[in-house]
């Protein structure tokens, strides 16, 4: 049986969670949002944890690196966990994958980790097909070439200094886990080899040499590096392992998270490969830890002095925590210095790999300072759309309210929308200044193209808000997700019940009821003719049913009594 309308509509889990930051801040009066922004100014190191499924990340260690040290920390996860369990609902397959992907994003916000996936769409080839006995079986299912090309592309884009898979490649381990360990080990050399996927270089990517590759040590005795991560952090009011468990609690469909005591805990690592000399067992040995150490690697005293002066300003910003008003001016000043350092670096004759690496680090510092400046500005932004559901050709409104919650006037504020290129909407809207405790509302009329692609849950948001302001002659820009997911859907959907039909030929029913539920996503009235495409010889009492739906999200069910016929 064919449906007269077909719709691939994915479930979206809307997480209504009380942020950890808010509860912790209320307990110890810490400005957690500000600290999360200023702490990364202390280091230039980046760390990547690789795994196969959402919740494979080493949450306690990542919390220590990100929240404790300020290291730029990310997780690269292969699939969406579609083959896992679900302890909070009935969704499985793609529906569960969407839930687990959203859970990971929310969990990552707690311990300061950015979550990435190799899987790009629902029903992607890199799919959680259940337990795998071997890496060979896994790569046969996923497609080895497709998987590895995406992996190398990510390494060359993200540019991690240190990579650590979550699991070792041992026969007792899940084949998916072993696969990510094998790919991580292969990528150590291949990501730096221009003959491996040379099309990446033609697209503008550079090769990238990972500095160190670690694995979780099998025991303390086999570890080359052991790190105490159980320290108590007064900003968060807990230890880093406890912070990691707070993030794991958000993997609700998997029943993750445990209450653990505040006590010492060590992470034991084994160094597998290194492209730098290892003078000692320190995790960051011979990896430039901040701009002071980068200053020792550049060939000119002018650039060296610039980098040292910039790091001194970054350290001063950290020392000024938690005073937002005092932090804003030097953060804006440091933004200027980063741009000067970038220009000097680009114009300095030095080793190409060192230059590309330093440029990448300075660009990250610019992004971090933009975040510090916006938080310390005390501007609060709320953006809502008239509807989270849109259809092709529809017009809607997006409202952006900007409030100055600080003690100082904010100047030259600009509000704008980021949409796909062919969406129609107003240009940016400007405001000369915004006094303390004052709010301003901006309204944007938006038109969806007639041929806009339908919603894919793993794509970037089709609508984002962007707000900028100017302070001390320097512009700061911040991009925001809308409060609700915006999905472009077909005008109508039809769901059959049952969606599969089994006929008992030994005891053939005279009539079989088949229902069709029609749902309206169009913002207005729709007249619908519903009929069944039946096998030859099958009949129904009525060939079609007329349905009128008057408003968005209205649905109606019609039932056909089908008389089967065996040929």
């Amino acid at each position: 049986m064919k449906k007269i309308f077909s719709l691939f509509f994915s479930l979206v889990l809307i997480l209504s969670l009380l942020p950890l930051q808010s509860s912790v801040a209320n307990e110890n009066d810490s400005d957690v949002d500000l600290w999360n922004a200023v702490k990364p100014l202390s280091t230039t190191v980046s760390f990547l944890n690789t795994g196969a499924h959402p919740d494979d990340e080493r949450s306690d260690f990542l919390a220590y690196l990100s929240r404790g040290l300020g290291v730029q920390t990310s997780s690269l996860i292969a699939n969406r966990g579609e083959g896992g369990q679900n302890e909070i609902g009935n969704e499985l397959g793609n529906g569960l994958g969407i839930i687990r992907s959203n859970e990971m994003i929310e969990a990552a916000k707690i311990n300061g980790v950015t979550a990435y996936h190799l899987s790009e769409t629902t029903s992607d080839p890199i799919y959680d097909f259940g337990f795998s006995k071997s890496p060979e079986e896994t790569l046969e299912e996923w497609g080895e070439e497709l998987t590895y090309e995406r992996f190398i592309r990510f390494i060359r884009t993200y540019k991690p200094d240190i990579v650590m898979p979550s699991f070792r490649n041992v026969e007792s381990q899940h084949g998916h886990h072993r696969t990510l360990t094998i790919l991580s080990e292969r990528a150590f050399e291949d990501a730096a080899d221009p003959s491996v996927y040379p099309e990446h270089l033609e697209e503008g990517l550079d090769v990238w040499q990972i500095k160190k590759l670690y694995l979780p040590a099998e025991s303390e005795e086999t570890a080359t590096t052991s790190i105490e991560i159980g320290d108590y952090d007064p900003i968060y009011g807990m230890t880093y392992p406890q912070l990691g468990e707070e993030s794991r609690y958000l993997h609700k469909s998997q029943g993750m998270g445990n209450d653990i005591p505040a006590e010492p805990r060590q992470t034991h690592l084994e160094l597998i490969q290194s492209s730098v000399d290892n003078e000692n067992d320190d995790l960051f040995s011979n990896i430039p830890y901040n701009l002071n150490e980068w200053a020792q690697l550049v060939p000119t005293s002018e650039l060296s002095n610039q980098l040292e002066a910039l790091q001194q300003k970054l350290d001063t910003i950290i020392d000024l925590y938690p005073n937002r008003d005092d932090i804003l001016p030097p953060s804006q000043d440091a933004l200027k210095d980063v741009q000067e350092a970038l220009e000097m670096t680009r114009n300095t004759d030095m080793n190409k790999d060192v230059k590309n690496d330093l440029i990448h680090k300075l660009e990250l510092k610019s992004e971090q300072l933009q975040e510090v400046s916006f938080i310390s500005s005390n501007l609060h932004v709320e953006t809502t759309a008239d509807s989270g559901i849109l259809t092709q050709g529809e017009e809607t409104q997006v409202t952006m309210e900007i409030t100055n919650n600080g003690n100082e006037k904010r100047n030259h504020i600009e509000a704008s929308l980021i949409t796909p290129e062919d969406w129609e909407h107003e240009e940016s809207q400007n405001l000369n200044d915004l006094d303390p405790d004052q709010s301003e509302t901006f309204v944007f009329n938006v038109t969806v193209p007639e041929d806009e692609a339908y919603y894919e849950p793993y794509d970037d948001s089709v609508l984002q808000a962007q707000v900028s302001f100017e302070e001390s002659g320097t512009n700061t820009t911040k991009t925001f997700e809308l409060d609700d997911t915006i999905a472009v859907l077909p005008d109508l959907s039809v769901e059959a019940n049952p969606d599969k039909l089994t006929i008992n030929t030994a005891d053939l029913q005279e009539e079989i009821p088949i229902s069709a539920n029609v749902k309206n996503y169009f913002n207005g009235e729709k007249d619908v003719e519903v009929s069944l495409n039946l096998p030859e010889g099958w009949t129904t009492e009525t060939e079609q049913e007329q349905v009128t739906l008057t408003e968005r999200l209205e649905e109606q069910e019609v039932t056909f009594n089908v008389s089967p016929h065996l040929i």
Side-chain angles (χ1 to χ4, degrees):
M1 180 191 74
K2 289 185 179 179
K3 302 173 185 175
I4 191 169
F5 302 104
S6 64
L7 168 67
F8 179 71
F9 181 65
S10 299
L11 302 172
V12 178
L13 178 67
I14 301 175
L15 297 174
S16 299
L17 300 169
L18 179 65
L20 170 72
Q21 287 88 338
S22 299
S23 60
V24 173
N26 289 336
E27 291 175 8
N28 58 20
D29 297 325
S30 296
D31 189 340
V32 178
D33 288 337
L34 181 62
W35 182 251
N36 288 344
V38 301
K39 181 58 179 176
L41 300 178
S42 64
T43 179
T44 58
V45 177
S46 57
F47 184 97
L48 176 67
N49 181 203
T50 62
H53 318 95
D55 71 39
D56 279 353
E57 67 269 23
R58 293 298 177 108
S59 304
D60 55 352
F61 185 41
L62 298 184
Y64 165 79
L65 291 171
S66 177
R67 298 309 193 196
L69 303 181
V71 169
Q72 186 198 24
T73 309
S74 293
S75 288
L76 177 62
I77 301 300
N79 57 49
R80 305 286 175 160
E82 301 94 338
Q85 61 187 357
N86 186 355
E87 295 195 4
I88 61 173
N90 298 321
E91 297 85 1
L92 297 173
N94 283 323
L96 178 58
I98 296 167
I99 289 172
R100 294 193 66 183
S101 297
N102 280 277
E103 287 176 340
M104 184 171 181
I105 291 170
E106 296 302 317
K109 292 176 183 177
I110 299 297
N111 56 1
V113 177
T114 305
Y116 299 94
H117 290 84
L118 290 180
S119 170
E120 297 176 350
T121 64
T122 49
S123 299
D124 193 274
I126 304 176
Y127 194 86
D128 183 2
F129 56 86
F131 185 80
S132 173
K133 298 178 181 178
S134 69
E136 292 78 17
E137 179 190 36
T138 299
L139 289 174
E140 182 178 354
E141 291 284 342
W142 290 355
E144 182 170 358
E145 188 67 18
L146 177 143
T147 304
Y148 196 49
E149 187 276 331
R150 289 186 188 176
F151 194 96
I152 294 296
R153 180 182 293 274
F154 179 84
I155 294 294
R156 290 172 172 172
T157 302
Y158 179 71
K159 303 181 186 299
D161 294 315
I162 303 171
V163 174
M164 186 195 77
S166 286
F167 303 96
R168 298 182 69 91
N169 178 23
V170 293
E171 290 188 0
S172 60
Q173 191 55 256
H174 194 313
H176 296 178
H177 296 162
R178 297 175 64 189
T179 298
L180 267 293
T181 302
I182 291 170
L183 297 186
S184 300
E185 293 176 352
R186 285 172 55 186
F188 184 86
E189 293 185 358
D190 285 351
D193 186 346
S195 68
V196 177
Y197 302 117
E199 63 270 22
H200 292 176
L201 280 63
E202 297 171 4
E203 297 169 12
L205 289 175
D206 294 314
V207 295
W208 181 255
Q209 179 59 67
I210 301 166
K211 310 302 185 297
K212 295 183 181 182
L213 177 72
Y214 285 92
L215 288 178
E218 293 180 308
S219 66
E220 184 175 353
E221 289 70 28
T222 62
T224 54
T225 300
S226 295
I227 304 170
E228 175 56 53
I229 65 171
D231 298 334
Y232 176 86
D233 192 317
I235 297 293
Y236 305 101
M238 62 184 70
T239 67
Y240 300 116
Q242 288 175 327
L243 192 62
E245 289 301 316
E246 289 293 324
S247 77
R248 297 195 73 75
Y249 269 119
L250 297 188
H251 292 288
K252 294 181 179 295
S253 65
Q254 306 304 297
M256 294 290 175
N258 293 288
D259 291 336
I260 59 174
E263 60 185 7
R265 178 185 292 190
Q266 287 200 328
T267 288
H268 303 291
L269 305 175
E270 181 182 355
L271 181 64
I272 302 300
Q273 298 186 74
S274 178
S275 61
V276 297
D277 293 333
N278 289 285
E279 299 172 351
N280 53 56
D281 295 337
D282 184 77
L283 179 66
F284 308 113
S285 173
N286 280 314
I287 298 176
Y289 190 76
N290 56 28
L291 293 177
N292 288 332
E293 296 188 10
W294 275 104
Q296 310 307 311
L297 302 178
V298 299
T300 67
S301 58
E302 183 182 13
L303 179 55
S304 178
N305 292 338
Q306 177 76 7
L307 294 176
E308 289 179 345
L310 177 54
Q311 187 60 57
Q312 184 175 359
K313 289 186 177 181
L314 300 181
D315 292 340
T316 298
I317 292 170
I318 299 172
D319 291 340
L320 288 171
Y321 170 85
N323 193 317
R324 293 191 176 197
D325 290 338
D326 288 349
I327 283 176
L328 181 57
S331 67
Q332 295 292 89
D333 189 42
L335 264 174
K336 294 180 187 177
D337 291 351
V338 168
Q339 296 307 315
E340 292 178 7
L342 273 167
E343 188 66 22
M344 292 175 64
T345 302
R346 293 187 177 106
N347 294 327
T348 299
D349 186 18
M350 69 175 85
N351 177 276
K352 179 183 177 182
D353 292 337
V354 174
K355 175 183 283 192
N356 289 340
D357 198 346
L358 179 54
I359 288 172
H360 174 64
K361 301 302 184 185
L362 289 170
E363 288 174 341
L364 289 176
K365 281 290 164 274
S366 178
E367 293 175 10
Q368 292 168 356
L369 283 166
Q370 296 266 356
E371 181 72 10
V372 172
S373 292
F374 203 92
I375 290 175
S376 58
S377 76
N378 285 302
L379 290 176
H380 177 72
V381 180
E382 289 188 4
T383 308
T384 57
D386 282 355
S387 175
I389 294 174
L390 300 173
T391 55
Q392 294 171 330
E394 182 175 348
E395 296 182 5
T396 191
Q397 282 192 338
V398 176
T399 302
M400 188 185 311
E401 183 180 59
I402 304 175
T403 303
N404 182 359
N405 290 329
N407 302 313
E408 303 289 337
K409 179 186 294 185
R410 293 291 163 245
N411 302 309
H412 305 297
I413 295 172
E414 182 178 284
S416 58
L417 289 183
I418 301 175
T419 68
E421 186 175 354
D422 51 351
W423 287 46
E424 295 180 9
H425 59 86
E426 288 93 347
E427 299 296 325
S428 60
Q429 301 180 32
N430 299 299
L431 181 67
N432 286 333
D433 52 58
L434 192 64
D435 291 326
D437 298 321
Q438 181 182 352
S439 296
E440 188 71 22
T441 299
F442 303 87
V443 178
F444 296 87
N445 296 298
V446 180
T447 302
V448 182
E450 294 284 354
D451 59 351
E452 178 62 23
Y454 295 136
Y455 173 69
E456 163 56 50
Y458 301 147
D459 283 350
D460 294 334
S461 300
V462 293
L463 284 176
Q464 293 177 307
Q466 191 170 81
V467 175
S468 65
F469 72 94
E470 188 175 298
E471 182 81 21
S472 304
T474 301
N475 188 271
T476 294
T477 301
K478 172 76 172 177
T479 301
F480 298 87
E481 299 290 335
L482 269 65
D483 294 339
D484 295 320
T485 298
I486 305 298
V488 178
L489 301 176
D491 290 354
L492 298 160
S493 72
V494 173
E495 181 179 8
N497 182 28
D499 58 357
K500 297 181 179 63
L501 192 61
T502 302
I503 301 295
N504 183 357
T505 58
D507 185 17
L508 190 64
Q509 294 176 254
E510 292 185 4
E511 288 188 339
I512 301 173
I514 296 178
S515 299
N517 189 73
V518 186
K519 190 169 186 176
N520 184 21
Y521 295 110
F522 180 74
N523 189 24
E525 183 174 308
K526 280 288 182 181
D527 293 321
V528 186
E529 292 180 352
V530 184
S531 61
L532 302 180
N533 190 349
L534 297 171
E536 183 180 353
W538 291 41
T539 60
T540 60
E541 293 176 346
T542 56
E543 292 187 0
Q544 65 182 32
E545 292 282 352
Q546 187 76 24
V547 173
T548 298
L549 302 170
T550 60
E551 59 185 26
R552 173 168 281 161
L553 299 183
E554 183 181 357
E555 50 190 307
Q556 187 172 331
E557 184 176 85
V558 295
T559 299
F560 297 89
N561 291 312
V562 177
S563 299
H565 173 71
L566 299 183
I567 299 175

